[in-house]
Amino acid sequence: MHDLPYAKETLVILAGYSLGCFTSGYYLVRWRTGEDLRLLGSGSVGATNVGRVLGKPGFFLTVFCDFCKGLVAVWLAEYYGLNPAGTVLTMVAVAIGHIWPIQLWFHGGKGVATSLGAVLMFDYSIAAIFAVMFLVLFGALRSVVLAGLLAFAVTPLALLMLDFPLNRVFGLSALALLILIAHRKNIPEEIHKLITEKKLKSDKRAIPK
């Protein structure tokens, strides 16, 4: 009896999606308070919203768990010897599972910590480039959210310029697109907040003492 073609790859990719679906923040809040995190705060099941409900310990525990599941998904792909395309698809699958978990009717988190864990396991040099991009952008914008989103958006371009393999460029581009889609409602708010803060600082400097 012949093995089904790509059976191993399909199983590992599905395992990656299933790992992503384990939305730790949702279950942590349900366990600690009995409430549905989707009905609290921003409605997201990510770490930021968990922090609003459970404070800093809940925030950091959720970040850790979300980061680790991205790391574990890519580790599984490498452990079972998937080709580069299969590993990239597993990395994308775990992010999709976090953002659109089937058991929560596709209402999940934003995918940042999970994607970072996956990227670090996939290629630590890409994670280092992302970190540099983030620090530069944060220094310019003083906004964690916008700096992070822009870092995800521009890092694939940096990889192209540095002549990284196309599978790595594609993998990070796919993650960046997913994260931007997940943050589509936050981006206008963050831009408005940044403009308002800069205008207030400008007005303060303009007031004669």
Side-chain angles (χ1 to χ4, degrees):
M1 185 175 180
H2 296 289
D3 292 335
L4 291 172
Y6 302 112
K8 179 175 67 174
E9 287 79 1
T10 301
L11 287 173
V12 174
I13 292 167
L14 287 174
Y17 176 78
S18 299
L19 272 172
C21 287
F22 180 73
T23 46
S24 55
Y26 171 83
Y27 295 110
L28 182 61
V29 170
R30 178 70 84 176
W31 171 54
R32 291 293 303 276
T33 69
E35 296 188 81
D36 187 337
L37 183 58
R38 295 170 296 175
L39 304 178
L40 304 173
S42 67
S44 169
V45 300
T48 301
N49 204 31
V50 174
R52 295 187 182 102
V53 179
L54 299 180
K56 288 183 179 179
F59 170 83
F60 286 114
L61 180 57
T62 303
V63 168
F64 176 76
C65 292
D66 290 347
F67 181 88
C68 285
K69 69 185 182 184
L71 190 149
V72 169
V74 176
W75 176 83
L76 281 173
E78 295 182 349
Y79 179 81
Y80 285 104
L82 266 63
N83 58 35
T87 303
V88 166
L89 289 173
T90 304
M91 182 170 66
V92 172
V94 70
I96 290 175
H98 180 81
I99 298 169
W100 296 292
I102 190 170
Q103 83 282 10
L104 297 182
W105 297 100
F106 307 104
H107 189 143
K110 302 298 176 60
V112 174
T114 300
S115 296
L116 288 176
V119 168
L120 181 64
M121 189 68 196
F122 182 57
D123 190 329
Y124 66 87
S125 61
I126 296 178
I129 292 169
F130 172 86
V132 171
M133 292 289 185
F134 171 79
L135 291 173
V136 170
L137 289 165
F138 178 73
L141 299 173
R142 297 295 174 182
S143 168
V144 173
V145 175
L146 288 178
L149 293 177
L150 282 172
F152 268 109
V154 301
T155 298
L157 298 176
L159 299 184
L160 272 176
M161 293 173 63
L162 293 169
D163 203 25
F164 271 69
L166 287 179
N167 63 70
R168 277 152 169 71
V169 177
F170 171 78
L172 200 69
S173 299
L175 289 179
L177 180 60
L178 290 172
I179 289 170
L180 289 172
I181 291 172
H183 284 84
R184 62 192 182 280
K185 294 180 180 177
N186 303 90
I187 294 172
E189 297 172 3
E190 292 295 328
I191 293 174
H192 177 73
K193 187 191 301 182
L194 180 66
I195 293 172
T196 302
E197 289 175 355
K198 287 190 177 296
K199 186 175 184 302
L200 286 173
K201 289 179 182 178
S202 177
D203 291 344
K204 285 181 180 179
R205 285 195 294 265
I207 295 174
K209 295 183 179 180

